[in-house]
Amino acid sequence: MARSYVAEARRRVGPKRLRIAPIIDRLTREHQDAAIALRFRSDVELLVSVMLSAQTTDVNVNRVTDRLFRKYRKPEDYLAVPPEELERDIYQTGFFRQKAKAIRGTMKMLVEEYDGKVPRELDELLRLPGVARKTANVVAAELGNPQGIVVDTHVRRLSQRLGLTRQDDPVKIERDLQKLVPRGHWGVFPHLLIWHGRRVCIARAPRCEDCVVNDLCPSSRV
Ligand code: SF4
């Protein structure tokens, strides 16, 4: 019964390859301010912010980095203090031991192998200690060189609700989205879903009646 209802909803909205363009178009108009919420002024600050954002909110990271970036201005600065001092300085972002270790390892590699600069290629970003695929994708996209599609909790939920993927694993979801979303939109697409997920397609109570893509969404309740 449930399955036939889902199949019927999918039939109603049509194939995803025909829906993706109007979905991107309408969400772009709806969320013109969709952009990364982390605050940074350099590539190194971007990288550190994204590394700190694991398992916490962007608001919390901004609060911590506001002070942090006044003290640590270049990769060497993170290596010049004892590990415990860096741990204390990022304590409020949670998982501070793990994050401090990853940041120190990454800064060391930047200094030793990349002349203190953040590399732009995904495979190079993935070499940095403690930099996982999501972090690398976010950083590459913000550097203007998206080579994948960021899948966070909002992107996962909305891709599933919009019927753009049937997968649950972020790597498989990303693969589905890469086949579907035109390459020129890889950078902005996650921001559109993230902002739509925060404002309209909320996890517990999606506001389908106010949603600009409700006629394109198999999960719409209206
Ligand atoms: S119609 Fe509802 S479930 Fe679908 S994207 Fe919009 S808010 Fe989310």
Side-chain angles (χ1 to χ4, degrees):
M1 181 65 186
R3 191 171 297 169
S4 74
Y5 176 78
V6 172
E8 163 52 31
R10 286 215 172 98
R11 255 197 307 278
R12 176 172 51 79
V13 296
K16 57 189 174 187
R17 63 175 197 287
L18 296 182
R19 289 184 289 121
I20 192 67
I23 286 175
I24 293 174
D25 200 47
R26 290 189 211 170
L27 292 181
T28 303
R29 266 181 279 144
E30 180 78 357
H31 305 291
Q32 293 182 14
D33 53 347
I36 192 163
L38 295 168
R39 283 200 300 265
F40 53 88
R41 286 156 306 175
S42 68
D43 296 356
V44 172
E45 288 188 3
L46 162 67
L47 177 58
V48 172
S49 297
V50 181
M51 290 176 82
L52 290 176
S53 71
Q55 313 288 336
T56 186
T57 64
D58 292 349
V59 174
N60 194 27
V61 173
N62 288 338
R63 208 176 292 141
V64 170
T65 55
D66 208 32
R67 265 181 295 110
L68 192 77
F69 293 156
R70 269 182 261 151
K71 177 170 170 184
Y72 302 82
R73 294 181 179 264
K74 47 187 194 316
E76 290 85 348
D77 297 342
Y78 292 89
L79 305 170
V81 298
E84 303 73 37
E85 189 172 331
L86 179 58
E87 287 176 4
R88 261 198 313 278
D89 289 337
I90 62 165
Y91 174 78
Q92 283 163 319
T93 66
F95 299 95
F96 58 94
R97 279 206 188 96
Q98 215 174 307
K99 288 180 182 176
K101 188 163 173 252
I103 289 172
R104 283 174 65 85
T106 283
M107 294 301 140
K108 189 162 179 284
M109 193 180 270
L110 288 190
V111 171
E112 289 174 357
E113 299 190 32
Y114 294 99
D115 202 19
K117 307 226 165 43
V118 179
R120 307 185 96 72
E121 298 303 318
L122 198 66
D123 51 353
E124 289 179 303
L125 286 164
L126 286 169
R127 287 187 61 224
L128 302 170
V131 171
R133 186 162 181 94
K134 189 177 140 217
T135 301
N137 263 335
V138 174
V139 172
E142 286 310 307
L143 293 177
N145 190 20
Q147 293 147 75
I149 296 180
V150 175
V151 177
D152 77 344
T153 172
H154 295 291
V155 176
R156 175 164 161 260
R157 181 178 76 255
L158 268 76
S159 301
Q160 290 170 338
R161 284 182 178 170
L162 283 163
L164 307 179
T165 183
R166 295 184 191 199
Q167 302 292 343
D168 205 37
D169 173 58
V171 174
K172 291 183 181 160
I173 293 174
E174 184 182 352
R175 218 173 289 151
D176 280 351
L177 293 178
Q178 281 178 320
K179 282 188 225 140
L180 198 62
V181 176
R183 181 123 200 184
H185 289 90
W186 282 11
V188 76
F189 187 71
H191 293 310
L192 295 175
L193 293 197
I194 289 167
W195 285 97
H196 199 59
R198 283 183 182 148
R199 290 169 172 161
V200 183
C201 191
I202 296 151
R204 296 231 175 117
R207 295 170 37 223
C208 300
E209 62 286 0
D210 299 320
C211 177
V212 290
V213 291
N214 59 15
D215 58 321
L216 299 168
C217 177
S219 312
S220 172
R221 297 176 184 181
V222 291

